[in-house]
Amino acid sequence: MKQHWKKLLLSGVVVVMAAVLLWPIPFPSLETGEDVSVTHSYFWIDNTDPSGSLKQAHKSYHCSADSGALAQLEDILSRYSYHRCLHTLFPFLAEGDVGSHQLLFHLAGEPLVVTNRRHLYVGERVYCLGYLGDGAADTLMQELLETLETASESVSP
């Protein structure tokens, strides 16, 4: 009879942990009444260099609080959610998995970093976007970049 209770308790702990890790979390609001700047960083391997060095470039965007760009970005983010994962508990596991594109949203509170890989960063915490390799991070990145290119003011090339 004791074994039965141990198995039941262990099953309950597993179910609770799975619910905590996989529960969807909505993105923080971008519409805070303040302007938002976004930095797009992208990385590539330079094949013209014999050592194949990693290159990096940046492009900055400015979205004023009264422009439609923030509303469009907010609408895109509202269609997605993220969730806790093992990387949230053990952030060192996610080191180096930042993807080839990153969007850094400079917000009044915590910075938000969206990557084209499955990880995103809210402040210092690591979260996962999408489930089971569904490609949500790539799709989100494409939508955000298209909106930034068309609806916001580009600050730097």
Side-chain angles (χ1 to χ4, degrees):
M1 191 66 162
K2 259 187 175 177
Q3 284 296 98
H4 175 70
W5 285 107
K6 287 181 182 179
K7 287 180 183 178
L8 188 63
L9 181 61
L10 182 61
S11 298
V13 168
V14 168
V15 167
V16 167
M17 283 300 296
V20 166
L21 288 177
L22 299 176
W23 194 265
I25 303 168
F27 275 91
S29 178
L30 300 178
E31 295 179 333
T32 59
E34 298 179 12
D35 293 358
V36 173
S37 63
V38 182
T39 303
H40 175 211
S41 300
Y42 41 102
F43 309 89
W44 70 94
I45 295 176
D46 185 4
N47 292 327
T48 61
D49 184 3
S51 64
S53 62
L54 183 67
K55 302 291 184 176
Q56 180 179 11
H58 303 282
K59 187 171 185 178
S60 297
Y61 302 93
H62 180 80
C63 302
S64 61
D66 56 353
S67 73
L70 274 183
Q72 288 176 323
L73 293 171
E74 182 82 25
D75 180 55
I76 292 169
L77 291 176
S78 71
R79 296 192 306 261
Y80 293 87
S81 62
Y82 56 92
H83 60 91
R84 293 170 192 87
C85 58
L86 290 178
H87 299 113
T88 308
L89 302 174
F90 307 106
F92 61 87
L93 294 174
E95 286 182 12
D97 189 22
V98 295
S100 57
H101 292 270
Q102 296 178 6
L103 286 177
L104 168 60
F105 290 84
H106 305 273
L107 303 174
E110 297 180 314
L112 170 67
V113 180
V114 179
T115 71
N116 68 326
R117 296 293 292 255
R118 46 182 273 208
H119 296 114
L120 64 99
Y121 302 83
V122 179
E124 296 292 318
R125 292 175 304 282
V126 181
Y127 295 94
C128 285
L129 183 65
Y131 298 94
L132 300 174
D134 62 359
D138 270 331
T139 307
L140 174 60
M141 180 63 69
Q142 288 173 359
E143 289 183 50
L144 291 172
L145 284 174
E146 287 173 8
T147 301
L148 286 168
E149 286 292 330
T150 59
S152 69
E153 176 184 332
S154 179
V155 178
S156 68

